[in-house]
């Protein structure tokens, strides 16, 4: 008999597309700044300061809420979560808590479908502030110390809490992929930025206690952390060791979890309503939101309008940057099948998708729609064969050159000698007698024969010269 596994998630996502922090005018883009330069009296919690809510943050959080099938309440309120920790200069975090029996957070009772027929319930969605960052120096030495950087303090975060509906780590990974894509499509969060999406997971096995795994800094490590934790707990069960309710930290370097502290109860945080922010009425906000096309709709449109398969459209949609690249490319060269094929089978295969996505965004890999469109077109028209196309793709993702430039510069084409090509053309005429006989009726015969020349030369023959020679020879038939 298999033991029941229940996994729930708490996802924190920074609203990186905002201009400013949640309660002050400091920049929301704190990365690569000198420590403690992106701060003001509000976000370092000086006495006498008052928070001022960023309206756009409420709008973005509401969009996430709607996209995940939640209901937005009429009124929202904020609460203080009290705890003492150096990254939290006020000694409390402004967040939203399910208090007073009201629905005062930004969303409740959502539902997300993923992996075709699976579903996860969304318990709640709340808006809160990010704490500062602790930087540990000289770890594990006698000279160890900790620095605090408040540049991140007060960045707008949306916390998404799911019900424990996942049965295994793989489901979690597929769901988180979808979640990334939703956040990207909403254009509220650049998920490829370091630390912009973080995930805590809670897991219980059989009758065992709930264990929380914190500190997982990227979506891709969540599956690893959960797999490790399942093995750990099952081993304990085998040896009749009780699994304690506790919080464990994910150790990113050793890829294990380690005990951190026994878990506080919610009551330890002494929540109470934030007196410095009034209750906010969101009159009909749900209908006023400007919702973009979401991954599910977009996938169906790809299938319907472009005739792509379920699988190919899913792979493209999983990562907005590839879905966009696809649509921009077919604007230039309208051949959805071959364009999608170049992206899904070749481009994504060349480099690990996760880093490729990041590298395209940062411009480290210089590929855009023009490259893909040109490549697909050149290969479709038999100017070069597919293998040479792949060689070109490998080159251009590093250099950013256009495929046509590479061909013109002769970097791929080596055979430009007329006699050598004529020899190959004659060979093709010999092999493809039927096509040659058909050439009077079939206007594509020349192209077909050119394709064969390219095949024989592994794409190395000069296509223009070859076509000329083929046409001349055909005229004589
Ligand atoms: Zn500030
Ligand atoms: Mn939180």
């Amino acid at each position: 008999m298999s033991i029941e596994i229940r996994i729930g998630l708490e996802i924190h996502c920074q609203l990186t597309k905002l201009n400013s922090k949640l309660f002050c005018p400091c920049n929301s883009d704190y990365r690569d700044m000198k420590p403690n330069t992106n701060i003001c009296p509000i976000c370092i919690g000086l006495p006498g300061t008052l928070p001022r809510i960023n309206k756009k943050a409420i709008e973005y959080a509401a969009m996430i809420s709607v996209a995940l099938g939640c209901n937005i309440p009429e009124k929202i309120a904020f609460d203080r979560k009290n705890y003492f920790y150096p990254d939290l200069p006020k000694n409390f975090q402004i967040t939203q808590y399910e208090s007073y029996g009201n629905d005062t957070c930004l969303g409740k009772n959502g539902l997300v479908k993923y992996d075709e027929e699976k579903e996860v319930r969304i318990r709640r969605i709340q808006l809160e502030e990010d704490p500062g960052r602790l930087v540990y120096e000289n770890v594990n030495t006698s000279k160890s110390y900790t620095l605090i950087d408040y540049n991140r303090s007060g960045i707008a975060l949306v916390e998404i809490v799911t019900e424990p509906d996942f049965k295994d780590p793989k489901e979690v990974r597929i769901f988180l992929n979808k979640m990334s894509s939703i956040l990207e499509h909403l254009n509220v969060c650049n998920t490829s930025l370091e630390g912009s999406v973080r995930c805590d997971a809670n897991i219980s096995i059989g009758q065992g206690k709930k264990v929380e795994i914190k500190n997982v800094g990227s979506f891709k490590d969540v599956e690893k952390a959960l797999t490790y934790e399942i093995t750990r707990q099952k081993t304990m069960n085998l040896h009749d060791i009780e699994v304690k309710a506790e919080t464990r930290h994910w150790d990113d370097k050793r890829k294990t979890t380690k005990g951190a502290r026994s878990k506080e109860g919610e009551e330890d945080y002494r929540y109470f309503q934030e007196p410095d922010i009034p209750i906010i009425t969101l009159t009909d906000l749900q209908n006023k939101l400007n919702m973009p096309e979401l991954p599910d709709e977009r996938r169906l449109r790809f299938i319907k309008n472009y005739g792509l398969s379920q699988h190919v459209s899913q792979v493209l949609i999983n990562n907005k940057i590839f879905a966009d690249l696809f649509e921009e490319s077919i604007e230039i060269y309208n051949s959805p099948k071959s364009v999608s094929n170049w992206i899904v089978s070749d481009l994504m295969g060349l480099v690990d998708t996760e880093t490729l996505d990041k590298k395209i965004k940062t411009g480290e890999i210089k590929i855009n729609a023009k490259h893909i469109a040109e490549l697909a077109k050149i290969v479709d028209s038999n100017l070069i064969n597919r293998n040479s196309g792949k060689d070109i793709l490998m080159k251009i993702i590093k250099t950013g050159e256009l495929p046509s430039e590479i061909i013109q510069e002769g970097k791929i084409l080596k055979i430009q000698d007329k006699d050598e090509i004529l020899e190959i053309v004659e060979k093709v005429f010999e092999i493809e007698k039927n096509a040659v006989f058909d050439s009077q009726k079939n206007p594509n015969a020349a192209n077909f024969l050119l394709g064969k020349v390219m095949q024989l030369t592994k794409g190395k023959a000069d296509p223009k010269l070859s076509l000329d020679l083929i046409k001349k020879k055909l005229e004589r038939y």
Side-chain angles (χ1 to χ4, degrees), residues 204-352:
S204 57
I205 299 181
Q207 299 304 308
K209 297 258 168 51
K210 194 162 92 177
V211 171
E212 215 176 332
I213 311 167
K214 284 203 178 277
N215 215 23
V216 191
S218 80
F219 278 4
K220 71 169 191 255
D221 270 355
V222 179
E223 186 183 14
K224 285 184 207 150
L226 285 167
T227 306
Y228 175 85
E229 191 53 29
I230 289 170
T231 312
R232 188 187 72 90
Q233 291 190 28
K234 279 189 173 165
T235 311
M236 289 175 76
N237 286 342
L238 270 179
H239 293 87
D240 277 331
I241 305 169
E242 192 196 351
V243 175
K244 289 180 294 183
E246 64 172 344
T247 298
R248 299 179 68 81
H249 275 202
W250 171 241
D251 185 333
D252 185 42
K253 293 208 176 68
R254 294 161 63 204
K255 307 289 174 201
T256 59
T257 65
K258 57 178 187 224
R261 55 185 154 129
S262 53
K263 201 175 151 25
E264 318 69 358
E266 291 284 80
E267 68 280 2
D268 295 327
Y269 289 121
R270 292 291 182 266
Y271 285 96
F272 62 87
Q273 194 182 328
E274 168 59 63
D276 290 338
I277 302 175
I279 289 177
I280 301 168
T281 307
L282 307 173
T283 313
D284 204 24
L285 178 64
Q286 191 145 351
N287 296 320
K288 288 183 199 151
L289 291 172
N290 202 353
M291 294 294 287
E293 184 183 41
L294 292 170
D296 283 344
E297 308 161 50
R298 197 175 191 195
R299 197 191 67 230
L300 293 177
R301 183 168 61 80
F302 276 20
I303 295 170
K304 192 169 157 244
N305 292 8
Y306 304 132
L308 300 186
S309 72
Q310 167 80 22
H311 171 73
V312 166
S313 23
Q314 185 66 60
V315 173
L316 286 172
I317 299 292
N318 273 347
N319 211 324
K320 180 167 180 285
I321 201 159
F322 295 122
D324 290 349
L325 183 63
F326 166 73
E327 288 209 279
E328 284 160 22
S329 303
I330 59 171
E331 283 283 312
I332 304 170
Y333 173 56
N334 188 12
S335 177
K337 281 257 155 62
S338 56
V339 165
S340 62
N341 205 4
W342 277 104
I343 296 175
V344 173
S345 319
D346 299 286
L347 182 61
M348 290 187 187
L350 277 178
V351 198
D352 162 39

Side-chain angles (χ1 to χ4, degrees), residues 170-184:
K170 189 176 156 233
E171 288 186 350
V172 170
R173 170 174 42 88
I174 296 168
F175 170 77
L176 288 176
N177 271 345
K178 175 153 193 184
M179 184 62 91
S180 287
S181 182
I182 291 173
L183 294 171
E184 290 285 344

